[in-house]
Amino acid sequence: QSALTQPRSVSGSPGQSVTISCTGTSSDVGGYNYVSWYQQHPGKGPKLMIYDVSKRPSGVPDRFSGSKSGNTASLTISGLQSEDEADYYCCSYAGMYTHYVFGTGTKVTVL
Amino acid sequence: QLQLQESGPGLVKPSETLSLTCTVSGGSISTSYYWGWIRQPPGKGLEWIGSIYYSGSTYYNPSLRSRVTISVDTSKNQFSLKLSSVTAADTAVYYCARATTRDFDFWGQGSLVTVSS
């Protein structure tokens, strides 16, 4: 099972919006509505930001939103803030044999 | 607030077995959740290793299945990872996390394990 494909980096100015894509196959992203997104600051453990494609856990700002079309999921950060600068990883359920597959990771830079 | 903390040796010799324990606090491990291990080689992405239910039911990443054993000790509110026959490619930060059937909602801070003689 190959890792999901994400852009290596994206950047934006404070207040702008950025979107991170996560491309898989019909066996993972396209086959289930079980895509999650994680934020990771340097030296820290990942934090769940989005689950079930578009749901936000309690405490996650509504600036973070998720969506999916076909085999590609997306995370959008609106009103970019300096604290959003971090690495972001997508993850998809991939069936009862593989279970979970993560994305390659995207570094978000706030200019 | 649920907290998870990894512990174990930071250095393991090639061909030996890596062993880590995750201690869960602020909640019981005997709940309707799975508990998982995920690793991250230096400068690279995340890789799911395997997960366990408090009853002992397990499932593993097919690429690591032959070398991985995950166990649970409900009396200590802990679960553990053993990875056998390690090589330098197993050098990584190892995270424990609470797992639903489709995501990981609470994570530990991570434990760096280096494989070197």
Side-chain angles (χ1 to χ4, degrees):
Chain A
Q1 183 78 29
S2 299
L4 307 175
T5 301
Q6 297 180 232
R8 184 174 292 270
S9 64
V10 299
S11 61
S13 300
Q16 289 186 333
S17 294
V18 295
T19 296
I20 304 167
S21 61
C22 169
T23 302
T25 69
S26 58
S27 296
D28 38 63
V29 175
Y32 307 94
N33 287 323
Y34 294 150
V35 176
S36 51
W37 289 90
Y38 303 86
Q39 177 190 67
Q40 186 179 34
H41 287 109
K44 302 291 187 181
K47 175 186 177 184
L48 178 65
M49 304 300 284
I50 295 287
Y51 68 99
D52 291 357
V53 175
S54 60
K55 297 177 182 177
R56 277 189 312 276
S58 174
V60 172
D62 59 7
R63 303 183 289 104
F64 292 85
S65 61
S67 63
K68 190 188 87 166
S69 177
N71 296 337
T72 298
S74 298
L75 173 72
T76 297
I77 310 173
S78 305
L80 201 60
Q81 299 184 6
S82 58
E83 59 261 37
D84 300 333
E85 185 162 292
D87 293 327
Y88 291 82
Y89 292 91
C90 62
C91 178
S92 175
Y93 179 71
M96 293 183 64
Y97 181 69
T98 305
H99 291 283
Y100 308 100
V101 59
F102 282 95
T104 51
T106 298
K107 181 175 181 58
V108 171
T109 301
V110 182
L111 301 172
Chain B
Q1 176 77 345
L2 192 72
Q3 291 188 318
L4 295 89
Q5 180 66 58
E6 306 87 353
S7 60
L11 182 65
V12 181
K13 289 183 168 58
S15 80
E16 295 189 345
T17 296
L18 177 159
S19 296
L20 291 171
T21 295
C22 182
T23 300
V24 179
S25 59
S28 174
I29 202 170
S30 301
T31 58
S32 299
Y33 288 95
Y34 278 79
W35 304 90
W37 288 96
I38 302 98
R39 69 180 182 178
Q40 184 173 35
K44 296 188 177 181
L46 300 165
E47 179 182 35
W48 171 69
I49 300 170
S51 298
I52 189 167
Y53 198 58
Y54 74 91
S55 63
S57 174
T58 55
Y59 52 101
Y60 300 129
N61 185 323
S63 67
L64 298 170
R65 179 175 287 127
S66 63
R67 298 195 292 130
V68 174
T69 301
I70 297 176
S71 58
V72 63
D73 187 337
T74 55
S75 67
K76 295 181 179 179
N77 231 32
Q78 295 176 335
F79 62 105
S80 298
L81 168 71
K82 291 189 185 298
L83 181 66
S84 64
S85 305
V86 296
T87 69
D90 294 310
T91 294
V93 175
Y94 285 77
Y95 295 100
C96 60
R98 190 176 78 170
T100 69
T101 54
R102 57 230 191 229
D103 54 58
F104 303 91
D105 58 358
F106 285 94
W107 294 65
Q109 285 286 82
S111 178
L112 174 62
V113 179
T114 301
V115 179
S116 175
S117 56

